[in-house]
Amino acid sequence: MKRRDFLGYTGLGALGVAASSVLGGCSEEEPSVKFWQQGNFRPVSEEVTETNLKIEGNIPPELSGLYVRNGTNSSNGISDHFFGGDGMMHGVRLEGGEAKWYRNRYVNTPVYRKETGGFGTPKPEDTTSAVSMLYHGGELMSLGEFGYPYLVNPDDLSTKGAFNYDGKLPGNMTAHPRIDPVTGELLFFGYNVVQPYLTYMRADAAGNMLQVEPIEMTGPSMVHDFAVTDNYVVFMEMPVRFSWTMAISGSGLPFKWDDDAPSRFGVMPRNGTNADVKWFDVPTCFIFHIMNSYEQGDDVIVDAARYDNLWVKNSHDFFHPAHLSRFSMNMKTGKASVQRIHDHAMEFPTVNRNYWTKDYRYGYSLVVDEKNDTPERIGQSEGGIRKYDLKTGADDSYLPGPSLTPAEAIFIPARESGGLEDEGYLASYVYDKNAQTSAFCLFDATKVSAGPIAKVQLPVRVPVGFHGLWVPDSVVS
Ligand SMILES: [Fe+2]
């Protein structure tokens, strides 16, 4: 295998997928017209700084900080897979009711600099770092699906370099760590195509590694996210698996659906070891993203975007709608159950992160059009942002029509502490297909359907990407 081919998945970008309408793509074979080189999937060619930004509406003056979102943006304009581009961050700084600047910057990795190539096992630094952002232990980080995180300067989005927890990070760290909102502890994991297939890690609030724990799996599954409650962490082992057939084929990523692989959750005490993991079989499915997780009596509850299957033929096979579903694992009986809790397709679930690990009422996601099932409909979907009231079953959606497509909506609390669960704002980049432009938009999270309360037109189109983060000035040290 060529080194660069191997990098095709070590740096592969997102696995953060809003399947159908948000992503498009649906061919079972490698598409003749690659959806990730069309429409708003196309990369942008320049890094831009803009300080003269105009605002429609009002940015709440109490919001002071950085909104930054990661995604793939191939520096040479092409890639073998949607997830295969270089990491690019798009950031907007808010202060005193103004948008002080917008910047888009590549994550400056060896892959971006084209310093990797040839044969051999890639180094942990050899990642595109294209999936998400994290602020923890006093550092802003760009995260990829594999490899080391990269430290980023929040003042200008410049890359400071790779980070490995003083040498204690054994290799891969994924893009979906969880921070305990009470203790500030970071709970995270990495996965690999060789044993140990999964490694669980914990770091204290200051960013000191506390635990590195190999977890036994039955095979090399793709594990994009995981769940944390007050007392437990929850690992997913699902049937999208590393495939030598796919690796040798050179088409897309070396992962595909494996009918023989299990669908199961492993629940482990947060300070436990592999020997403490209780595995719960669930009906066959695949999950990229978890909305939230918590404990209720003897049950460990995980709310997630559930696919019936994914990548059955190959990794270009994206059209499979996900539905918000509640998994309940009973620690006494060892039994698990699953229940669909909303009828319509969705992806990119988010919550007020102060409610991570806690029983919660409100979630948010992108709206996905289940009819978007042919290549011709790519980009024609009706996207939007949906708010879920999980206690009453009610929902409230922003549906701007086919020309406007929002990206993941990140919740920003209106107050540092003491606010109501939905007292705050949703931040999203919204793409205008007709104008071929993008805007940074803020929504009142209590009235999502009312549309943006503030809109900042950006000098650069923000391509379809993955996960964002709000970094309030109050936490930056
Ligand atoms: Fe993701």
Side-chain angles (χ1 to χ4, degrees):
M1 185 192 303
K2 289 180 183 174
R3 173 85 171 272
R4 184 74 196 178
D5 292 339
F6 200 66
L7 287 170
Y9 73 87
T10 62
L12 57 83
L15 308 186
V17 176
S20 51
S21 73
V22 180
L23 291 188
C26 59
S27 172
E28 290 186 344
E29 305 301 328
E30 182 164 7
S32 56
V33 180
K34 294 171 176 167
F35 70 83
W36 60 94
Q37 292 172 15
Q38 301 179 58
N40 198 34
F41 293 91
R42 286 173 298 134
V44 293
S45 56
E46 285 185 279
E47 294 179 318
V48 170
T49 301
E50 179 60 67
T51 56
N52 184 23
L53 295 166
K54 294 191 171 44
I55 304 166
E56 288 177 39
N58 294 294
I59 294 175
E62 71 267 24
L63 295 185
S64 188
L66 170 70
Y67 172 72
V68 57
R69 196 217 68 185
N70 210 340
T72 61
N73 193 95
S74 176
S75 55
N76 63 9
I78 56 171
S79 58
D80 293 335
H81 189 272
F82 170 47
F83 296 164
D86 301 289
M88 178 178 272
M89 302 165 285
H90 296 260
V92 174
R93 168 150 184 84
L94 307 183
E95 187 181 330
E98 297 181 11
K100 291 289 188 182
W101 54 256
Y102 161 83
R103 283 177 166 85
N104 64 319
R105 293 290 185 275
Y106 281 106
V107 186
N108 190 353
T109 70
V111 179
Y112 166 67
R113 298 193 299 270
K114 310 286 188 289
E115 292 174 359
T116 60
F119 292 88
T121 303
K123 301 188 295 293
E125 292 86 349
D126 295 345
T127 166
T128 54
S129 199
V131 185
S132 72
M133 306 296 298
L134 169 69
Y135 192 88
H136 186 257
E139 294 285 356
L140 179 63
M141 303 181 212
S142 166
L143 304 178
E145 184 72 3
F146 295 93
Y148 288 162
Y150 272 79
L151 302 183
V152 173
N153 185 337
D155 294 331
D156 61 7
L157 302 188
S158 59
T159 303
K160 297 197 284 189
F163 178 63
N164 65 10
Y165 289 86
D166 296 326
K168 294 174 182 169
L169 181 65
N172 295 330
M173 173 175 176
T174 71
H176 285 286
R178 301 271 170 173
I179 297 173
D180 185 299
V182 176
T183 66
E185 191 175 36
L186 185 75
L187 305 112
F188 58 114
F189 70 100
Y191 70 96
N192 209 333
V193 301
V194 294
Q195 296 210 43
Y197 295 130
L198 194 141
T199 301
Y200 167 64
M201 290 164 280
R202 286 190 298 124
D204 67 17
N208 302 301
M209 189 77 90
L210 299 175
Q211 183 179 6
V212 176
E213 189 70 33
I215 303 297
E216 287 180 16
M217 307 255 284
T218 65
S221 288
M222 188 168 73
V223 189
H224 186 62
D225 200 352
F226 92 139
V228 179
T229 69
D230 281 343
N231 294 295
Y232 299 103
V233 289
V234 185
F235 310 113
M236 296 190 289
E237 182 177 4
M238 296 199 168
V240 173
R241 286 210 156 163
F242 174 77
S243 159
W244 277 109
T245 305
M246 287 294 108
I248 292 166
S249 79
S251 173
L253 307 179
F255 289 91
K256 75 185 288 287
W257 186 262
D258 180 350
D259 278 325
D260 296 327
S263 298
R264 60 180 193 156
F265 289 92
V267 182
M268 186 184 88
R270 280 166 46 158
N271 298 355
T273 70
N274 176 66
D276 302 316
V277 180
K278 279 189 177 178
W279 287 100
F280 294 80
D281 290 325
V282 296
T284 301
C285 65
F286 183 76
I287 292 166
F288 278 121
H289 293 127
I290 289 164
M291 178 176 271
N292 203 8
S293 45
Y294 59 96
E295 291 161 47
Q296 192 170 57
D298 295 326
D299 287 330
V300 172
I301 309 289
V302 175
D303 293 341
R306 179 192 183 279
Y307 296 84
D308 288 340
N309 54 59
L310 194 86
W311 297 359
V312 172
K313 290 281 178 64
N314 61 35
S315 62
H316 301 299
D317 172 23
F318 272 107
F319 179 72
H320 295 272
H323 294 92
L324 185 59
S325 302
R326 174 159 292 176
F327 295 85
S328 302
M329 276 73 71
N330 189 286
M331 300 302 290
K332 281 246 172 81
T333 66
K335 302 288 187 191
S337 63
V338 59
Q339 170 192 9
R340 185 180 286 192
I341 55 177
H342 197 277
D343 285 338
H344 297 293
M346 48 77 73
E347 247 294 1
F348 283 90
T350 58
V351 295
N352 179 341
R353 292 183 176 193
N354 291 329
Y355 285 76
W356 270 358
T357 75
K358 309 298 181 196
D359 191 1
Y360 70 115
R361 178 170 179 179
Y362 298 111
Y364 311 89
S365 80
L366 291 183
V367 174
V368 172
D369 180 355
E370 300 192 47
K371 295 177 185 169
N372 186 25
D373 56 356
T374 69
E376 292 73 28
R377 288 184 61 86
I378 292 170
Q380 303 297 311
S381 59
E382 186 174 346
I385 296 170
R386 181 181 296 128
K387 176 186 181 182
Y388 305 82
D389 183 332
L390 297 165
K391 299 302 183 191
T392 67
D395 58 56
D396 180 39
S397 299
Y398 168 64
L399 298 170
S403 66
L404 296 177
T405 307
E408 180 196 58
I410 288 290
F411 184 87
I412 301 176
R415 291 189 266 170
E416 294 299 319
S417 62
L420 300 174
E421 185 180 337
D422 64 344
E423 186 180 346
Y425 308 95
L426 298 176
S428 175
Y429 289 124
V430 178
Y431 170 63
D432 184 326
K433 189 179 85 169
N434 294 337
Q436 301 273 302
T437 58
S438 295
F440 169 76
C441 290
L442 278 176
F443 301 78
D444 180 342
T446 66
K447 301 175 201 161
V448 175
S449 54
I453 60 166
K455 180 178 175 184
V456 181
Q457 201 64 46
L458 301 176
V460 171
R461 183 174 56 80
V462 178
V464 172
F466 306 112
H467 302 293
L469 179 70
W470 169 246
V471 188
D473 287 348
S474 58
V475 305
V476 175
S477 50

